[in-house]
Amino acid sequence: MSISSINYSSSVLGAQIRNINQQLTDLSTQLATGKLSQNYSGMGANEGFAIAGRSQLSNIAAYTDTITNVNVNINLANTALQSLTTIRNTVQTGSASTAQDLNVNGQTVAQNTAASQFGSMVGVLNTQSGNRYLFSGTAFNTQSVANAGDIINGTTTQAGFKTVMAERQAADLGANGMGRLVQTQPTPSSARVSEDVAGSPFGMKIAAVSSTLTGATVTGPSGSPVSFSVDLNGLNPNDGDKLSVQFTLPDGTTGQVDLTASSATPTPIGSFAIDATTPGNTATNLNTALNTAITKLANTSLVAASAITAGDNFFNTASSAIGAPVNNQAAPPAPISGATALSGASPSNSISPGFAAGDTITVNGTTLTFVNSGATGNQLNVGDSIQTLMSKIDQITGTSKPSTVHGGSITINTDDAASLNITTSNTGALNALGFGSTPVTATQPPLRVGSSPASSATTLVNGSANTVKWYTGNDGPGSPRSTAMARVDDSVTVQYGAQANEDAIRQQLQAIAVFGTFSTSPTSQYAGGQVSALSLRVTQSLTKQPGQQHIEDIQTDLAMAQNTMKDAGTRQTQAKAQLQSIIDQAESASPDQVASELLSLQNALQASYQVTSKLAQLSLVKFL
């Protein structure tokens, strides 16, 4: 008979002791780390919840980092915008002051301040957060705005704003300094004033004429180019009789000349002398006074309006399509107006040929259909006015600057020159509106005087090839805010982009550039009037107007993004606490329970060792 060896290490009891030892080691680790296990397999059935919770916590951590970074960008942008507001207020206060003392350079102290503030504003608009330009839209790696010196003075190959403004002033004033108006005396008793070229974008446009001159005949304004005439018919007006002529200036404002007949000596300012013995001399005096008044208006208000318009030509990204001047059916010498109908039987006030039922005009992909009557939605009645058509087009393009018709020429404005596209099924009727080819597209800015010498130019042309581009960031359609987006929660995104060419920013930069760049001759008799007229316009440009975007609107948008992130952060903080609780419940070991189990195992282990010790004393003799 053989007797198997009694070996402690291979006995069942030994295995039990090793198991208890391992349990003691595990419990000691749990007590030290607070975790049920150091690997997933030992965590138990609830570890799946913990893994999912840990994944969500990781996402929240990423969202928290995103919110922190976005808040940095927004805070920097808001600081920049607040600086722009301060600059605006500084320049506006200066432009509104009554001090018009000119230095040797033909500028006031307020204008010098504006020139300095322009440089500051350019610096603010080129603010960076890390390597990101905050006002470049999606082109965040690109400087937002060209250097201030280049914008104003140009480079060796490209003209700056100063050149554009000087060209525009020469084109608006004309060679005779009368705002592109031509004055003649057809008969000894009459005076006639006309625009030099039909449809020209330059100079003053005759808008209206009224008269209380006794015995006089007033004709116009009418014709192409537009003109008016006053014939005293060999008679003298009475004291106090008045002639008033209203002009439209390039910036859309109006200027007016009022001349009063007077027999007083000396003749008061704003009057013309009545020659009681020779009525022909009265007509000559009227012509002289009219010439003087028009020249003064041209060299004061027109010059200021020209500077403002030059700013628009250079800075404003809103563009336009300009039709050639055309006449209406009722009176061929009379140009079309907003009231002219889109169709009508001669001699009605309508275009010819006109639109018919079933014709279409397609604007940026949206089709307008003509019907005989009862138009709704994207429909037009064949007898509707040109103004109605322009309003429909403006609704589709979403332009911030309404389209206009003046002097028989239609101007369709758009905020996005690249997108404007107008076609029609009736090209003859579109031609009658002044648009000789299809599709109708917009002229791209910047706009420059089209020929030399500028004083006789009749067109504005695309100057992008030889003119400094002041805004160098993203220039595509769409909301500037959408150019920078971030996901800050599983289903929440915020938009926080900004562009230096947004209306509120561009209008401010434009106004300050105009005010700080314009200069005049300190010795000119018109210098004070020019600066005064310009100061008024700049003050108005820097004043917040209803319906226009303001710097504060951009700040509000960014504040809303921050509030959205704050709300998301609050929810995430709450979620983190809940998720951490789930993880802790799944993975954490209770110290009390572990201690209790350790004590129990220690007692079991002690008892096992005692039994083992006794068994270990067995010998072959005792066994037998």
Side-chain angles (χ1 to χ4, degrees):
M1 180 181 72
S2 63
I3 300 174
S4 299
S5 171
I6 300 174
N7 186 289
Y8 165 76
S9 62
S10 61
S11 68
V12 173
L13 188 58
Q16 182 179 359
I17 291 174
R18 287 195 301 274
N19 183 47
I20 293 174
N21 266 324
Q22 183 61 49
Q23 291 182 59
L24 282 172
T25 300
D26 291 343
L27 288 171
S28 297
T29 303
Q30 288 179 12
L31 190 63
T33 63
K35 298 294 182 181
L36 289 176
S37 175
Q38 300 305 300
N39 52 61
Y40 288 126
S41 62
M43 288 295 185
N46 292 329
E47 180 57 17
F49 296 109
I51 293 173
R54 191 173 286 107
S55 175
Q56 289 179 277
L57 283 177
S58 177
N59 289 340
I60 289 175
Y63 291 142
T64 300
D65 290 341
T66 298
I67 289 173
T68 299
N69 293 333
V70 172
N71 268 318
V72 169
N73 289 341
I74 289 179
N75 288 335
L76 285 172
N78 189 58
T79 300
L81 291 169
Q82 195 59 45
S83 297
L84 297 186
T85 300
T86 302
I87 290 171
R88 179 191 68 201
N89 294 338
T90 299
V91 176
Q92 186 179 35
T93 300
S95 64
S97 68
T98 56
Q100 303 295 346
D101 295 334
L102 298 175
N103 60 23
V104 294
N105 297 318
Q107 289 190 313
T108 64
V109 172
Q111 287 181 276
N112 285 333
T113 300
S116 174
Q117 293 296 327
F118 178 81
S120 298
M121 188 171 178
V122 168
V124 169
L125 292 176
N126 283 325
T127 296
Q128 288 179 271
S129 177
N131 62 349
R132 182 187 186 93
Y133 287 93
L134 297 180
F135 293 95
S136 290
T138 57
F140 54 84
N141 290 324
T142 303
Q143 181 173 306
S144 308
V145 179
N147 296 329
D150 291 344
I151 293 174
I152 301 301
N153 301 310
T155 66
T156 55
T157 58
Q158 294 180 312
F161 175 58
K162 184 180 290 186
T163 298
V164 172
M165 183 166 63
E167 291 174 349
R168 177 83 207 203
Q169 180 175 316
D172 282 321
L173 269 177
N176 63 0
M178 291 184 64
R180 302 300 288 267
L181 298 176
V182 178
Q183 183 179 352
T184 59
Q185 191 171 1
T187 67
S189 64
S190 66
R192 184 176 186 271
V193 177
S194 67
E195 299 173 12
D196 63 345
V197 178
S200 168
F202 305 117
M204 299 192 294
K205 306 303 177 184
I206 304 169
V209 180
S210 62
S211 169
T212 61
L213 299 176
T214 302
T217 302
V218 176
T219 304
S222 60
S224 182
V226 177
S227 68
F228 76 91
S229 62
V230 180
D231 194 337
L232 298 182
N233 294 314
L235 303 173
N236 272 334
N238 296 322
D239 265 300
D241 287 355
K242 184 180 290 186
L243 172 69
S244 297
V245 186
Q246 189 177 81
F247 299 95
T248 302
L249 304 179
D251 64 347
T253 60
T254 59
Q256 187 160 310
V257 168
D258 294 314
L259 296 176
T260 304
S262 176
S263 58
T265 303
T267 305
I269 295 175
S271 302
F272 64 96
I274 300 172
D275 191 323
T277 59
T278 310
N281 290 342
T282 303
T284 300
N285 294 338
L286 172 61
N287 270 282
T288 300
L290 187 59
N291 184 281
T292 300
I294 290 175
T295 300
K296 180 180 179 180
L297 181 64
N299 283 275
T300 53
S301 295
L302 172 64
V303 167
S306 177
I308 295 295
T309 306
D312 222 38
N313 294 158
F314 185 87
F315 287 97
N316 193 359
T317 55
S319 305
S320 61
I322 304 175
V326 290
N327 298 325
N328 62 53
Q329 278 197 65
I336 62 172
S337 67
T340 301
L342 296 168
S343 180
S346 181
S348 66
N349 179 17
S350 60
I351 61 174
S352 179
F355 289 94
D359 289 343
T360 59
I361 292 179
T362 302
V363 182
N364 296 357
T366 299
T367 299
L368 301 172
T369 304
F370 284 88
V371 296
N372 285 320
S373 62
T376 59
N378 289 332
Q379 292 180 332
L380 287 162
N381 297 316
V382 292
D384 281 343
S385 67
I386 290 176
Q387 183 59 56
T388 301
L389 171 62
M390 291 193 299
S391 297
K392 290 279 188 180
I393 292 175
D394 288 350
Q395 289 175 14
I396 295 172
T397 62
T399 179
S400 59
K401 184 178 181 181
S403 299
T404 61
V405 54
H406 178 76
S409 179
I410 294 175
T411 301
I412 298 174
N413 294 309
T414 173
D415 291 348
D416 182 13
S419 70
L420 185 67
N421 186 288
I422 301 176
T423 58
T424 182
S425 63
N426 188 338
T427 56
L430 193 64
N431 290 344
L433 290 173
F435 297 100
S437 61
T438 56
V440 176
T441 56
T443 304
Q444 297 275 0
L447 301 177
R448 297 282 296 277
V449 175
S451 59
S452 182
S455 58
S456 59
T458 59
T459 59
L460 282 168
V461 298
N462 182 352
S464 57
N466 59 356
T467 311
V468 170
K469 184 178 181 182
W470 71 272
Y471 175 66
T472 53
N474 169 65
D475 201 18
S479 167
R481 233 55 74 231
S482 66
T483 59
M485 300 177 64
R487 184 172 294 281
V488 296
D489 206 345
D490 288 341
S491 58
V492 179
T493 59
V494 294
Q495 300 181 350
Y496 62 98
Q499 295 179 186
N501 66 342
E502 292 188 52
D503 283 346
I505 299 174
R506 188 267 306 165
Q507 288 170 356
Q508 178 174 321
L509 185 71
Q510 176 178 321
I512 293 174
V514 170
F515 196 49
T517 304
F518 180 85
S519 63
T520 186
S521 171
T523 58
S524 170
Q525 62 176 317
Y526 303 115
Q530 289 176 0
V531 174
S532 178
L534 180 65
S535 297
L536 176 62
R537 285 167 167 78
V538 169
T539 301
Q540 291 174 337
S541 296
L542 295 175
T543 301
K544 294 186 291 185
Q545 302 295 332
Q548 293 183 346
Q549 185 194 43
H550 309 142
I551 296 292
E552 291 79 1
D553 294 334
I554 303 175
Q555 291 178 296
T556 298
D557 290 344
L558 297 180
M560 289 176 64
Q562 285 189 309
N563 286 336
T564 299
M565 291 189 294
K566 182 179 179 181
D567 291 342
T570 300
R571 292 193 302 272
Q572 290 164 5
T573 299
Q574 296 171 348
K576 283 171 62 177
Q578 294 173 350
L579 290 169
Q580 191 60 55
S581 176
I582 292 173
I583 294 171
D584 291 344
Q585 289 177 11
E587 296 183 345
S588 298
S590 170
D592 293 338
Q593 181 179 349
V594 171
S596 175
E597 290 178 1
L598 274 172
L599 181 61
S600 175
L601 284 173
Q602 285 174 345
N603 291 334
L605 184 61
Q606 183 177 1
S608 297
Y609 276 144
Q610 290 174 351
V611 172
T612 302
S613 174
K614 291 179 180 180
L615 290 175
Q617 294 175 5
L618 288 176
S619 65
L620 180 60
V621 175
K622 291 181 178 181
F623 179 78
L624 294 174

